[in-house]
Amino acid sequence: MLYAIVSTDVENSLPLRKTARPAHLERLQQLQDAGRLILAGPNPAVDSEDPGESGFSGSLIVAEFPDLASARAWADEDPYVAAGVYAAVIVKPFKQVFPQ
């Protein structure tokens, strides 16, 4: 089943993101290589594809996991969590309707 992992950043998270980004991307690449990643990306803090020093306000990941507990466990192990990037992380089931 698919799960949405919706994360909200702490204030001024950009330096923390930069430090933990390589390990964060490596885990996402593993999901992609396993054919389980639907989409992933950050929410710019300003209305721009490249927010520069404004940074990001959070992230969204949609991926396949065996169950909610597995999705939560995966989210809890995110390097951004360990680095203190996220103030909050919500994990919930997701039903993809489009695209088919």
Side-chain angles (χ1 to χ4, degrees):
M1 181 167 184
L2 296 180
Y3 295 88
I5 302 170
V6 182
S7 305
T8 303
D9 283 23
V10 298
E11 291 290 323
N12 303 311
S13 63
L14 191 57
L16 299 171
R17 277 181 169 267
K18 287 179 178 179
T19 300
R21 189 169 192 264
H24 173 76
L25 293 179
E26 182 179 324
R27 290 183 81 235
L28 289 170
Q29 185 65 54
Q30 291 170 2
L31 278 181
Q32 183 171 320
D33 291 348
R36 297 171 43 206
L37 183 64
I38 304 303
L39 64 90
N43 304 109
V46 295
D47 190 12
S48 174
E49 292 247 348
D50 181 5
E53 290 304 309
S54 294
F56 301 93
S57 63
S59 299
L60 170 64
I61 298 168
V62 177
E64 183 179 348
F65 293 93
D67 52 45
L68 182 57
S70 298
R72 283 187 178 141
W74 188 90
D76 288 345
E77 296 293 322
D78 192 309
Y80 279 176
V81 170
V85 171
Y86 295 145
V89 178
I90 297 170
V91 181
K92 54 188 172 181
F94 179 80
K95 180 178 173 155
Q96 182 176 356
V97 177
F98 289 100
Q100 296 181 11

